[in-house]
Amino acid sequence: MLKLQYGYSLPERDRSPGAVPVIGSAGVVGYNMRATNAGPGIVVGRKGSIGSVTYSACDFTPIDTTYFVVPMDGKVDLRWVYHLLTHEDFSRLNRATGIPGLNRDDVYSLRRPLPPICEQRCIAKFLDAISAAIARTEAVIFTTEHLREALLHQCFAHGLPGWHTTWKEVPGGDKAPAAWKVVRLSDVAEVTGGSTPSRSVPEFWGHGIPWVTPSELTQRPGKYLHVTSESITDKGLASTGQKLIPAGSVLLTSRATIGLTAINVVPVATNQGFQNLVAKSGIHNLWLYFYIQTMKQELRRRASGSTFREVSRSAVRSLPMLLPSLAEQRCIAAVLHSIDTAIEQLLQERQRLQLLKASTAAALLTGQLRACPGTHEHRLEKH
């Protein structure tokens, strides 16, 4: 069906400026003036990111950590081969004890259905169409996320468009709406740290009080931290020095990966990696959540520590802020929330399309679902 050829040694120092993609195990690693292979072509990772598959529509150069595919002329469609290889789990063929490696003899031993060339082209068209839909969705996600960043800066530096006509200078030399107050974070929120509850207190470990660590923020899909609890209780909290953080608070990571934020939908306890912000009366918690995101760089600048970087509670409390009216806080929060909701829906759509592609590829490439009749098995040929 196809053969795999070794790529070429082309270290970065030997490349000349150009437009030809140089492809490594994980994809394009640079560009060169001259190509070794005419496009279109397929490159498969041989060392490191083994089994990763890159398709090049133009002339290209595969480096020596890869194989490039040489198909049997007239018997296979290149786009079908690309989807076949992308669907394959080559990681299970790794026999290296150090850097992962892919032996082409192991690839040649695989047996896969080989449909007629016309059916290959139909399969490729189906999967290319889903891939194009995924790419369009990703482009919209990219654009919407950039719009979000622009709106975030606009809303917290200058307010909502059309709301203000007079301005004043604020610390830092910038101008802000004249009606806004210059305050500290401690003026708008109570700041409390987290701690680890004692395992000798069974109420924490046996009665479902959610205890949150920063890793949960890195893994969550959205801004709301959906922790579950069979029964929320503060029994035993006083004896451990642990404080229950009320629902709707802003959880802010203050160690290592500083500046991650979430809003808890139920009362929780947090570990020492958090500074928790409980909005005061007259402050919209969702506005506070978005505002803190604009301060990520300042929070990291204020961090200190030799073992690990940490921003202290006093450093968080003293953060300068510009405070609009509660009405404007609510409007700013609503605008940004609508953008976040749109992004979340786009992410879900991308995931749906990715699952559709995976299931469709599995059915079409194994012959469970036929694009047109007639098929037989063929071994990946060694030449």
Side-chain angles (χ1 to χ4, degrees):
M1 186 192 302
L2 57 85
K3 62 180 178 180
L4 301 175
Q5 295 276 55
Y6 286 102
Y8 308 96
S9 176
L10 186 62
E12 190 172 356
R13 65 178 180 274
D14 294 338
R15 301 171 197 168
S16 302
V20 175
V22 178
I23 302 177
S25 289
V28 176
V29 294
Y31 293 88
N32 192 36
M33 181 182 294
R34 296 181 179 84
T36 58
N37 295 54
I42 301 171
V43 178
V44 180
R46 182 174 67 88
K47 287 186 177 180
S49 299
I50 66 167
S52 65
V53 183
T54 304
Y55 183 90
S56 178
C58 60
D59 295 350
F60 63 100
T61 295
I63 63 173
D64 54 5
T65 61
T66 69
Y67 298 117
F68 63 90
V69 173
V70 180
M72 295 175 64
D73 291 340
K75 292 190 177 181
V76 291
D77 176 81
L78 199 62
R79 286 300 298 175
W80 175 81
V81 172
Y82 168 74
H83 288 295
L84 179 69
L85 295 176
T86 301
H87 181 69
E88 194 68 45
D89 179 16
F90 288 114
S91 62
R92 61 189 178 83
L93 300 180
N94 175 44
R95 292 190 287 181
T97 56
I99 298 174
L102 180 66
N103 188 308
R104 59 183 174 179
D105 288 334
D106 292 334
V107 180
Y108 293 146
S109 68
L110 299 174
R111 297 182 67 85
R112 297 293 179 264
L114 177 63
I117 189 72
C118 63
E119 187 171 1
Q120 294 176 34
R121 289 169 181 156
C122 288
I123 292 171
K125 278 188 176 181
F126 284 136
L127 298 179
D128 281 344
I130 301 174
S131 296
I134 293 172
R136 288 192 296 270
T137 303
E138 288 177 338
V140 177
I141 291 171
F142 178 83
T143 301
T144 309
E145 286 178 338
H146 276 263
L147 171 63
R148 182 191 190 277
E149 289 304 308
L151 279 172
L152 200 64
H153 173 77
Q154 166 68 33
C155 288
F156 291 107
H158 307 294
L160 291 168
W163 275 59
H164 304 281
T165 56
T166 57
W167 310 88
K168 65 181 178 183
E169 288 193 4
V170 294
D174 295 328
K175 288 188 176 181
W180 286 12
K181 299 176 182 178
V182 179
V183 299
R184 300 284 182 184
L185 191 143
S186 58
D187 296 321
V188 302
E190 296 289 343
V191 183
T192 62
S195 62
T196 302
S198 170
R199 288 187 178 272
S200 64
V201 181
E203 287 79 7
F204 255 97
W205 308 101
H207 291 275
I209 292 178
W211 183 60
V212 183
T213 63
S215 63
E216 294 182 62
L217 269 64
T218 62
Q219 297 166 5
R220 66 191 170 84
K223 64 176 165 291
Y224 295 108
L225 188 63
H226 292 275
V227 288
T228 59
S229 176
E230 294 180 358
S231 61
I232 302 300
T233 174
D234 61 359
K235 182 181 178 183
L237 294 180
S239 64
T240 66
Q242 184 77 28
K243 183 176 181 180
L244 201 61
I245 309 303
S249 301
V250 179
L251 311 183
L252 170 67
T253 57
S254 56
R255 286 184 180 178
T257 306
I258 296 169
L260 299 179
T261 53
I263 294 179
N264 55 310
V265 298
V266 296
V268 298
T270 62
N271 79 348
Q272 296 96 329
F274 285 95
Q275 297 295 337
N276 307 295
L277 315 180
V278 183
K280 293 184 176 180
S281 176
I283 304 299
H284 194 284
N285 69 327
L286 195 53
W287 170 85
L288 179 61
Y289 163 81
F290 286 119
Y291 202 142
I292 290 298
Q293 293 178 22
T294 68
M295 297 183 161
K296 189 175 293 184
Q297 294 303 319
E298 178 62 18
L299 284 164
R300 292 174 179 175
R301 189 188 70 79
R302 292 179 174 223
S304 60
S306 55
T307 305
F308 52 81
R309 302 286 291 172
E310 179 178 15
V311 59
S312 67
R313 190 180 312 176
S314 61
V316 174
R317 286 171 53 85
S318 63
L319 283 169
M321 300 181 71
L322 294 169
L323 181 63
S325 67
L326 181 57
E328 190 170 4
Q329 291 175 39
R330 287 172 173 156
C331 288
I332 289 172
V335 169
L336 293 172
H337 176 65
S338 68
I339 296 292
D340 273 4
T341 300
I343 292 173
E344 186 63 30
Q345 290 172 345
L346 287 165
L347 292 172
Q348 291 173 2
E349 174 65 9
R350 181 179 66 181
Q351 184 181 39
R352 186 188 69 80
L353 288 168
Q354 289 170 336
L355 291 172
L356 174 64
K357 181 181 176 182
S359 61
T360 304
L364 289 172
L365 294 170
T366 60
Q368 297 174 40
L369 178 65
R370 298 300 305 280
C372 53
T375 188
H376 63 278
E377 267 198 355
H378 201 284
R379 186 184 295 273
L380 298 178
E381 293 187 356
K382 179 177 179 180
H383 292 262

